[in-house]
Amino acid sequence: VYGVKNPGPDDKPTLGRSSALEYDKKALSYYMPNKLPQWNALTKFGNPTKSIEVNALIKHVRKKEVRGQGAKSKTGRAFEDE
């Protein structure tokens, strides 16, 4: 999303949007054998899509999008005849 391995607080997510991250999270969660338990970072057990870090990343990317500092939307608009 950021284009760098360890983004800083001033880096902008220009390669992806929060909706894409949310879909990836959902798709990954579908194949998790242990969906119900929360992610435990110490034992690395549970569902990593429920981790605090993943949800914080999505929240941060969404904030940047709202402020106009994120990737532009790629949704197609319906044709309107005038």
Side-chain angles (χ1 to χ4, degrees):
V1 176
Y2 286 93
V4 294
K5 189 171 183 172
N6 294 319
D10 295 332
D11 290 334
K12 295 180 173 76
T14 57
L15 301 179
R17 295 184 56 85
S18 64
S19 58
L21 290 174
E22 287 172 344
Y23 180 79
D24 291 343
K25 176 182 164 180
K26 177 182 174 183
L28 189 72
S29 182
Y30 177 79
Y31 293 102
M32 293 301 301
N34 296 320
K35 293 180 186 179
L36 296 177
Q38 293 291 325
W39 177 248
N40 187 339
L42 297 175
T43 61
K44 296 189 178 183
F45 178 79
N47 189 348
T49 61
K50 292 185 177 183
S51 73
I52 295 171
E53 292 85 5
V54 170
N55 293 326
L57 172 67
I58 293 172
K59 186 177 180 180
H60 181 69
V61 171
R62 188 176 297 123
K63 274 187 183 178
K64 291 284 189 178
E65 288 172 5
V66 170
R67 294 176 183 164
Q69 299 172 345
K72 300 294 179 202
S73 176
K74 295 173 181 67
T75 58
R77 303 286 183 225
F79 179 74
E80 295 180 15
D81 190 26
E82 297 197 24

